[in-house]
Amino acid sequence: MSVASSAAGAGLPSAKGAPSVLVVEDDPSLATQLVRGLSRGGYRVDHVMTGQEALASGDPDVVLLDLGLPDVDGVDVCRRLRERSDAGIIIVTARGEEPERVLALDAGADDYLIKPFGLAELLARIRAVLRRIRPGGEVLRHGPLTVDLRTRKVTVHAREVALTPKEFDILECLASDPGRVMTRQEILESAWDAHWYGPTKVLDVHVAALRRKLDVPGLIETAYGRGFRLGEV
Ligand code: CA
């Protein structure tokens, strides 16, 4: 059974051109969470529940591979995927499966996650794998937002938004780790200078302009007294 769970299926605008992730997971509730989280993260997502289906699937950019599958041994799936594909392979294992994890890394997996893991960590690992696969072409994604670090092009719901260099740098900083509060100091150091000693009011002015241009309520949240972060939208 192949459940084609696209971003559109999750009620979000379809992430055309977004990297694709194949989730190979036989636990339905975990799979549902992963599909939802990855769709929200801006990825195109497909889900299969068996090793056979994973091997019969197309050519995703990243495979999230559960090692404990009902049919084919996960390590075997990993090896056979690697023989025919350059996809980033991130294996997902339970705590007790260390020998299998080592075998899977030897069989060509790029990285691994141990259950239970958080969505933020998963998204960070996927970004890291994509950076290795597509060097220099990294695009940060968060909900309707894309930030292309190479071309410095920003889109919201596929609409291009013209930003000043400072606005772009601030957004890049926030989008590098969506959900985490970036302190005012961190943002200033990343967008201005390694050692910013000037007034920080300037940051609020730029953030206000950014919010106006992006025009997505709740996208840039204020963490009072601390800084800013990208919120769930
Ligand atoms: Ca399993």
Side-chain angles (χ1 to χ4, degrees), residues 18-23 34-35 37-39 41-45 61-65 87-92 110-113 117-134 138-141:
S20 57
V21 180
L22 175 67
V23 175
L34 292 172
V35 168
L38 290 167
S39 297
Y43 294 98
R44 290 180 291 139
V45 191
D61 295 303
V62 176
V63 180
L64 198 61
L65 175 64
I89 302 175
I90 301 175
I91 53 176
V92 174
D110 294 277
D111 201 356
Y112 66 87
L113 281 161
F117 51 84
L119 181 62
E121 185 179 9
L122 169 63
L123 294 174
R125 298 292 184 91
I126 289 177
R127 283 198 300 274
V129 164
L130 285 170
R131 268 199 298 277
R132 284 203 293 274
I133 301 172
R134 306 171 163 186
E138 197 187 358
V139 179
L140 304 176
R141 291 188 167 78

Side-chain angles (χ1 to χ4, degrees), residues 24-27 30 66-70 92 97 115:
V24 187
E25 172 60 68
D26 61 318
D27 175 339
L30 178 56
D66 177 28
L67 278 193
L69 293 170
V92 174
E97 293 176 324
K115 294 178 188 175

Side-chain angles (χ1 to χ4, degrees), residues 84 132 135 184 228:
R84 67 167 171 85
R132 284 203 293 274
R184 302 176 69 87
F228 300 93

